């Protein structure tokens, strides 16, 4: 005997499935399995916890990046102050001439460009680290949801499969919102 709850889930999933993006449409069997996996309500809690963990990790990564940017901004301010002091000392020197000024300004430009390059390299390295961490988190979430029994979940890097997994998760999240109201 099919429960009323499952029938309701099948109906709601089917109605959302009508507007599925290309390649994401769920089969009748997938809809049935998805409805079964939601019957006891545990999957909603699991997804909420995974989403909360993801948000915390992303917030921490954003803070780390902001600290990195701020550290370079501080370095630029320090360098500008040092350059200003050096320039002011040199123009007060009686031996200072246009050739000295050109040389010192050229050195200031090189120093500034070098620090900009260091900043770009550090940010690029950090961003690549973030992408690796996000890939790892996606893999961990796929594995966790697969073990938890959410249909269609398995560890993959295939973009089409990930897109379908995301669609499936969005359905579950929307069902959670409608069932918890």
């Amino acid at each position: 005997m099919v429960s009323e709850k499952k029938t309701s889930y099948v109906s709601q999933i089917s109605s959302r499935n009508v507007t599925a993006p290309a390649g994401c449409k769920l089969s009748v069997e997938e809809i049935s399995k998805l409805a079964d996996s939601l019957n006891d309500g545990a999957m909603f809690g699991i997804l909420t916890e995974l989403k909360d963990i993801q948000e915390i990790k992303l917030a921490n990564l954003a803070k780390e990046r902001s600290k990195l940017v701020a550290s370079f901004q501080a370095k630029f301010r320090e360098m500008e102050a040092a350059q200003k002091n050096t320039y002011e000392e040199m123009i007060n020197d009686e031996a200072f001439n246009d050739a000295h000024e050109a040389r010192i300004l050229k050195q200031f430009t090189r120093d500034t460009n070098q620090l900009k390059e260091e900043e770009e390299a550090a940010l690029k390295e950090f961003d690549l680290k973030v992408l690796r961490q996000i890939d790892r988190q996606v893999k961990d979430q796929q594995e966790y949801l697969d073990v938890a029994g959410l249909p269609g979940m398995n560890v993959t890097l295939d973009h089409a499969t990930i897109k379908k997994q995301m669609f499936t998760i969005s359905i579950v999240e929307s069902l959670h919102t409608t069932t918890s109201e």
Side-chain angles (χ1 to χ4, degrees):
M1 170 112 187
V2 177
S3 73
E4 232 179 87
K5 193 182 241 185
K6 179 178 178 178
T7 303
S8 174
Y9 284 145
V10 167
S11 173
Q12 291 177 64
I13 295 167
S14 296
S15 70
R16 286 167 176 83
N17 196 42
V18 170
T19 59
C24 294
K25 203 168 277 280
L26 302 174
S27 69
V28 173
E29 182 182 354
E30 289 171 320
I31 291 171
S32 179
K33 286 180 180 179
L34 182 56
D36 286 337
S37 74
L38 302 176
N39 258 341
D40 68 359
M43 196 60 69
F44 297 123
I46 291 168
L47 282 174
T48 300
E49 287 177 24
L50 288 175
K51 190 174 186 178
D52 291 347
I53 290 167
Q54 180 177 335
E55 288 174 1
I56 290 168
K57 284 183 178 181
L58 291 176
N60 286 337
L61 289 170
K63 283 180 191 176
E64 278 184 56
R65 192 175 198 284
S66 292
K67 285 179 186 178
L68 181 60
V69 168
S71 75
F72 274 97
Q73 288 172 342
K75 288 178 184 179
F76 276 110
R77 284 191 300 273
E78 289 172 17
M79 185 174 63
E80 278 181 2
Q83 288 174 344
K84 182 179 178 187
N85 287 338
T86 300
Y87 187 76
E88 287 174 356
E89 288 173 8
M90 293 198 71
I91 60 171
N92 291 329
D93 186 347
E94 290 180 21
F96 184 72
N97 60 38
D98 289 345
H100 289 120
E101 182 176 24
R103 234 182 0 263
I104 194 76
L105 292 176
K106 195 173 187 178
Q107 184 60 47
F108 289 170
T109 301
R110 276 194 301 267
D111 293 345
T112 301
N113 288 339
Q114 181 181 351
L115 188 56
K116 283 180 185 177
E117 288 174 11
E118 288 174 21
E119 179 185 36
E120 287 173 10
L123 289 173
K124 183 178 180 177
E125 181 180 327
F126 182 84
D127 291 344
L128 289 172
K129 175 184 135 187
V130 168
L131 289 175
R132 286 189 300 275
Q133 288 182 3
I134 289 172
D135 284 346
R136 177 69 196 167
Q137 187 171 2
V138 167
K139 180 185 175 288
D140 291 346
Q141 289 174 344
Q142 289 170 328
E143 191 173 328
Y144 192 82
L145 290 170
D146 183 26
V147 170
L150 188 64
M153 293 298 135
N154 60 304
V155 177
T156 183
L157 295 175
D158 178 67
H159 292 290
T161 303
I162 291 172
K163 186 176 176 183
K164 188 170 183 176
Q165 289 174 343
M166 290 172 62
F167 176 69
T168 301
I169 290 169
S170 73
I171 288 175
V172 174
E173 288 175 334
S174 71
L175 290 174
H176 184 224
T177 303
T178 59
T179 59
S180 62
E181 291 175 347

